[in-house]
Amino acid sequence: MHNTQEHAALAIFGLDPTWLAVSILLVVYAVIMAEKFNRAVLSLLGAGLMILCGVITQQQAVAGIDFNTIGLLTGMMVIVAISQKTGMFQYVAIKAAKAVKGSPWGVLVMLSVVTAVFSAFLDNVTTVLLIAPVTLLITDALGVRPYPYLFAQILASNVGGTATLIGDPPNIMIGSAANLSFYDFLVNLAPITPVIFAVMLLAIWFMFGRDLHASEEHKALVMQFDENEAIQDVPLLKKSLAVLFLVIASFTVAHQLHLEPASIAMFGAAALLLLQTLGQPLADKDHAYEGIMAEVEWTTIFFFVGLFIIVTGVEHTGVIELMAHKTLALTGGDFVATAGVILWVSAIASALIDNIPFVATMIPLIQSMGPTFGGPEALVPLWWALALGACLGGNGSLIGASANLIVAGFAQRAGHPIAFLVFMKHAFGLMLISIVISHLYLYFRYLTP
Amino acid sequence: MLAERTMVTNIVTALADETVESVLNRMRAVKLRMIPVVDADGMLLGVVSTFSIMKKVLPSYISTGDLDQISYAPDLGILRSHYREVAKLKIAEVMDSKPLMVNRDESLLAVSAAMISLNQHEHAMVVDENKHLLGIISAGDVLDHLREEGANDA
């Protein structure tokens, strides 16, 4: 996929570039898993080593960075950083809790739905960062323990994120690499997520929901929350909603217009930056821009940059192609079996390790299966298998997704820590159920002749 | 002007194993918002203020969350129940264990600069080489001193 022939890099000390590249990848992934160092720093070190050790040239490294993923992530981060200041997340959460008159189970369902919908269109971490504290306030008001609510919210954020191209980083990477549009994700992944979500809520009802009770007094306290107070800046709210709406609407038609999602997200971000400070003096504008830019998660962005370079280095040596052939040998080149393996391996891997490096490695692997199955078009069901496995697998454990850890952090600070094994005991089974549903969905929709 | 000539030496202190409640009572009695915490030998361990205790009383998901403001929330009784829990804690659990410490021979300029630039401390603890508390300088003490000097000059 890259221009690798121009001038090939030379591995240092005459070492075998294949072993060099694979060693760098394995060491970096292992140290990332140990969680002792920042993952962005590690991925950049690995990327630097790929170039310094002569596996690839700088030019090849830069060509390997998927700027569509980077642009889409950065653009959406800017838009979210501005819109979160309007208080609209808190407004919707409180409105939802009051709509069910403060009934404990109703509040759980409503807050989960709100989390799922926000997660589908915005990033999961921001969503839970804003909804979890409001949830803790409401459970304090209801006098119920927050664990079932936070548990449901973790599952909701990952299930919601599965539904769209922009819902979860793995989807962004897959969409970009496989040239699948926002509309493709909407048509192929969005229909199954409400089913999975409903089954999970049903399970949560049996696990916790039927034991949730609150007195009338406590429910009345929930009704005293004033959602209108949450809205802090009405003009900004209007601007944010308008830009968000236009950006998402443009995503759905981007493919017909031959536009990449990153262009839309970046344009939307720039437009909102301009609108946000319209009419202010230049000094205030600059101050506001710098504040928003500081809120973009640059460590995540650089993590992606490094990761893309590491995977490019390994891809360059032909190892990934070799692994693809081995996988195909295992499944006997059977398409249905291959889709099943990708789904289940992705799910288990994503429950235990960071799903972003996993997906970054899987993408070229699946791409090199193209010739076997008759070209890139034939691979599409495999991409859905990867997306469903990687996104839903995040529910399997507390470390399965960043949003899980954010919620656990809040629970800890609220004096109700979520234990790693307790969460896994409750969540792993539900994750497996969601993968079974996904498997059936993939089978009947794409894999039966 | 040196720190030791500006500092207040008549100090009310708290011991690390006292409860928050008893220390708050003493602070109320002597009308202080901040008092240093020392061990039995008079060595400085930290400082505790009404502000830092109130921060403890506030649920930490509010004080450290991404909530810009929570004016939409009614009184939930959380503060009252947290207050009862915090009041029973040992003072060592709520104190700020990294107070601003200055030497007795530092200049008033250096002391006031440290108060402003290092995390906005309103008080500086004057200590000797072994961290024994000698006195306290507040922002007010500095200003008072400057006013007196001005009066003397005139």
Side-chain angles (χ1 to χ4, degrees):
Chain A
M1 73 190 237
H2 310 298
N3 247 347
T4 51
Q5 299 308 325
E6 289 166 17
H7 45 98
L10 273 179
I12 48 163
F13 310 132
L15 287 169
D16 178 7
T18 307
W19 286 114
L20 261 176
V22 172
S23 313
I24 293 170
L25 176 113
L26 289 180
V27 170
V28 169
Y29 282 18
V31 185
I32 286 176
M33 267 187 264
E35 295 184 344
K36 294 272 183 246
F37 301 94
N38 182 289
R39 58 182 191 166
V41 175
L42 293 171
S43 88
L44 286 175
L45 277 173
L49 282 175
M50 284 286 176
I51 301 169
L52 295 179
C53 293
V55 177
I56 44 174
T57 62
Q58 178 180 303
Q59 210 176 359
Q60 288 163 340
V62 172
I65 302 170
D66 181 356
F67 281 100
N68 188 43
T69 296
I70 304 289
L72 182 49
L73 279 170
T74 315
M76 291 309 286
M77 281 175 186
V78 169
I79 294 174
V80 169
I82 297 174
S83 14
Q84 74 174 52
K85 295 190 189 309
T86 62
M88 64 188 212
F89 290 82
Q90 289 90 339
Y91 177 90
V92 174
I94 294 168
K95 193 92 181 158
K98 287 172 76 170
V100 290
K101 306 262 180 289
S103 128
W105 172 249
V107 168
L108 187 147
V109 172
M110 290 305 267
L111 288 179
S112 303
V113 171
V114 168
T115 307
V117 171
F118 275 126
S119 295
F121 295 103
L122 307 169
D123 83 285
N124 298 358
V125 169
T126 310
T127 305
V128 297
L129 213 52
L130 294 165
I131 304 284
V134 180
T135 305
L136 289 168
L137 273 174
I138 292 175
T139 53
D140 262 334
L142 278 175
V144 292
R145 68 190 181 111
Y147 177 73
Y149 293 79
L150 298 174
F151 179 78
Q153 236 155 62
I154 289 178
L155 299 190
S157 80
N158 291 318
V159 174
T162 314
T164 71
L165 169 72
I166 53 169
D168 221 359
N171 286 3
I172 298 180
M173 294 159 81
I174 293 167
S176 181
N179 202 19
L180 295 165
S181 69
F182 189 85
Y183 184 75
D184 292 330
F185 275 82
L186 221 48
V187 171
N188 291 286
L189 288 187
I192 190 60
T193 46
V195 178
I196 294 170
F197 186 58
V199 170
M200 289 195 160
L201 280 178
L202 187 69
I204 291 170
W205 160 258
F206 281 111
M207 289 159 72
F208 312 108
R210 49 186 176 166
D211 302 325
L212 292 173
H213 303 288
S215 69
E216 290 307 316
E217 229 174 292
H218 282 114
K219 289 181 197 169
L221 205 46
V222 172
M223 299 310 285
Q224 279 181 35
F225 277 82
D226 182 2
E227 66 274 19
N228 296 317
E229 280 280 339
I231 301 295
Q232 298 168 52
D233 188 341
V234 176
L236 184 61
L237 177 71
K238 286 180 184 160
K239 294 170 192 169
S240 298
L241 285 176
V243 169
L244 267 173
F245 175 79
L246 284 175
V247 163
I248 291 170
S250 311
F251 281 147
T252 59
V253 296
H255 219 55
Q256 283 95 306
L257 303 174
H258 303 288
L259 286 173
E260 298 282 347
S263 315
I264 294 167
M266 282 310 241
F267 185 76
L272 190 53
L273 278 170
L274 179 75
L275 288 174
Q276 179 209 9
T277 54
L278 219 56
Q280 290 179 8
L282 185 61
D284 289 357
K285 282 180 182 160
D286 286 342
H287 189 71
Y289 296 148
E290 276 157 25
I292 295 298
M293 287 303 173
E295 279 181 45
V296 172
E297 295 159 53
W298 294 110
T299 50
T300 305
I301 302 293
F302 280 103
F303 174 53
F304 273 94
V305 169
L307 211 51
F308 281 130
I309 296 176
I310 293 175
V311 173
T312 302
V314 176
E315 198 187 345
H316 194 73
T317 63
V319 179
I320 291 184
E321 216 179 326
L322 193 75
M323 277 169 60
H325 289 310
K326 294 263 188 239
T327 315
L328 288 174
L330 268 175
T331 60
D334 180 46
F335 192 68
V336 178
T338 308
V341 167
I342 290 173
L343 175 69
W344 284 93
V345 170
S346 308
I348 305 291
S350 301
L352 304 174
I353 63 171
D354 199 332
N355 63 9
I356 294 168
F358 177 80
V359 170
T361 323
M362 284 300 283
I363 284 172
L365 194 147
I366 293 179
Q367 274 169 338
S368 49
M369 291 178 176
T372 312
F373 295 125
E377 257 86 89
L379 293 178
V380 171
L382 300 185
W383 295 122
W384 304 139
L386 176 63
L388 286 166
C391 295
L392 296 173
N395 277 332
S397 81
L398 216 44
I399 54 165
S402 328
N404 306 8
L405 288 169
I406 299 280
V407 175
F410 272 114
Q412 173 104 37
R413 276 176 293 178
H416 304 274
I418 300 180
F420 184 84
L421 286 176
V422 172
F423 179 85
M424 198 148 175
K425 191 181 86 189
H426 292 142
F428 201 80
L430 290 184
M431 185 275 281
L432 293 181
I433 294 172
S434 73
I435 299 299
V436 170
I437 299 172
S438 306
H439 203 161
L440 292 171
Y441 174 72
L442 286 173
Y443 185 78
F444 286 111
R445 180 149 180 197
Y446 306 101
L447 305 175
T448 44
Chain B
M1 185 51 57
L2 300 179
E4 62 182 337
R5 291 178 56 188
T6 318
M7 68 189 185
V8 173
T9 49
N10 170 21
I11 314 166
V12 182
T13 58
L15 292 169
D17 56 355
E18 284 185 88
T19 64
V20 170
E21 188 161 32
S22 76
V23 173
L24 274 176
N25 285 338
R26 186 164 337 131
M27 289 167 79
R28 196 176 304 115
V30 293
K31 292 197 166 63
L32 282 173
R33 281 173 299 163
M34 186 283 312
I35 63 175
V37 183
V38 293
D39 68 6
D41 301 327
M43 203 174 87
L44 182 68
L45 299 173
V47 297
V48 64
S49 67
T50 46
F51 185 77
S52 67
I53 295 173
M54 190 184 79
K55 198 173 165 194
K56 276 275 177 204
V57 169
L58 199 67
S60 56
Y61 65 85
I62 297 175
S63 53
T64 61
D66 239 0
L67 298 167
D68 293 338
Q69 54 96 5
I70 55 164
S71 58
Y72 48 78
D75 248 329
L76 300 178
I78 315 174
L79 291 184
R80 209 164 303 124
S81 60
H82 276 222
Y83 174 78
R84 272 183 238 118
E85 287 166 29
V86 170
K88 289 186 204 120
L89 293 177
K90 297 260 179 286
I91 209 72
E93 295 173 72
V94 301
M95 71 183 182
D96 168 12
S97 52
K98 287 190 184 113
L100 173 61
M101 286 189 264
V102 297
N103 295 325
R104 63 166 92 186
D105 54 359
E106 277 181 49
S107 70
L108 213 52
L109 179 66
V111 171
S112 21
M115 286 163 84
I116 294 299
S117 54
L118 302 174
N119 280 329
Q120 309 269 337
H121 288 87
E122 210 190 314
H123 300 88
M125 305 292 125
V126 185
V127 292
D128 68 11
E129 308 74 48
N130 302 317
K131 280 179 67 175
H132 284 107
L133 183 63
L134 304 172
I136 299 178
I137 304 178
S138 72
D141 296 333
V142 175
L143 296 180
D144 285 350
H145 208 90
L146 296 176
R147 190 179 61 101
E148 282 162 24
E149 275 185 347
N152 293 343
D153 288 347

